[in-house]
Amino acid sequence: MILTLSSESVRNTVFTDERGLPVFKSTTPFRLGVRTTTISRQATPDESPGMDPDLIEVAGRIDWHCFGSSIFTIGGTTLESNVFLPRHGFFGRKRTFTGQDGRRYRWDMHSRDVVVSLYLADFWLDGHIHMFISQLSLDDSSRTQIARYHRASLGIIGKRRHATLEIAPQAEHMLDLVILTFIYVEKLRMDKENRQRQQMASGGGP
């Protein structure tokens, strides 16, 4: 399954399937203090271009806390981010969670070299241009890739394309979890990228 994002601002975006039909939508109204992202899903397949309000179900919510753990609400259960999706690895670029199937999954926030003119969100780091992406895999020796995020392309080199989230068939039974955890991890990655871009622009180090 390939879901296309209407915007790389993952807290306010629509995920559409290969037919161009909306499947998930994230909304985060502006407010001072704790902001809440609501992730909605299209409960019944619908051929209309927008999400039918009568067919929408809430897949989950994320309450964003600047200090302390953010809070996930999934199926009526409330979970703290540092327990539900703890950080691992150097600089905390890995996040793990347990799926409904009892298996452990891991999001990795990678960096890789890209062509400078290809992406708006490129930035300089240690004399090279890097782009962080997010990838979900089984947290075992197989490291089977479950989902991978592809950034949008401007089309300066190659074709212009929207950001997409590619999800393997074996994860389609837990789409809600994949989308919720993706939004959380990608928001963290975006914040880190923005901080590093600002540091480089001001002449500071990474």
Side-chain angles (χ1 to χ4, degrees), residues 24 59 72 74 79 84 97-100 105 107 136 174-183:
F24 288 92
F72 286 81
I74 308 170
L79 301 164
F84 169 59
F97 68 94
T98 302
Q100 294 102 319
Y105 296 87
W107 280 107
L136 179 65
M174 59 173 199
L175 281 179
D176 290 0
L177 263 185
V178 172
I179 298 298
L180 262 72
T181 55
F182 163 71
I183 289 173

Side-chain angles (χ1 to χ4, degrees), residues 28-36 63:
T28 310
F30 176 79
R31 57 169 294 183
L32 297 176
V34 176
R35 298 182 67 183
T36 298
D63 295 323

Side-chain angles (χ1 to χ4, degrees), residues 12 21 46 72-73 80 87 95 110 125 127 140 143 155 158 160 170 178 190 193 199:
N12 289 286
L21 301 177
D46 185 63
F72 286 81
T73 302
E80 294 187 358
R87 67 172 64 192
R95 295 274 178 160
H110 294 293
L125 178 61
D140 60 18
R143 293 302 313 280
R160 182 186 180 94
Q170 59 263 48
V178 172
M190 289 170 60
E193 182 177 283
Q199 288 174 348

Side-chain angles (χ1 to χ4, degrees), residues 79-96:
L79 301 164
E80 294 187 358
S81 60
N82 65 345
V83 176
F84 169 59
L85 203 61
R87 67 172 64 192
H88 302 278
F90 197 51
F91 293 127
R93 290 180 182 170
K94 307 178 192 301
R95 295 274 178 160
T96 60

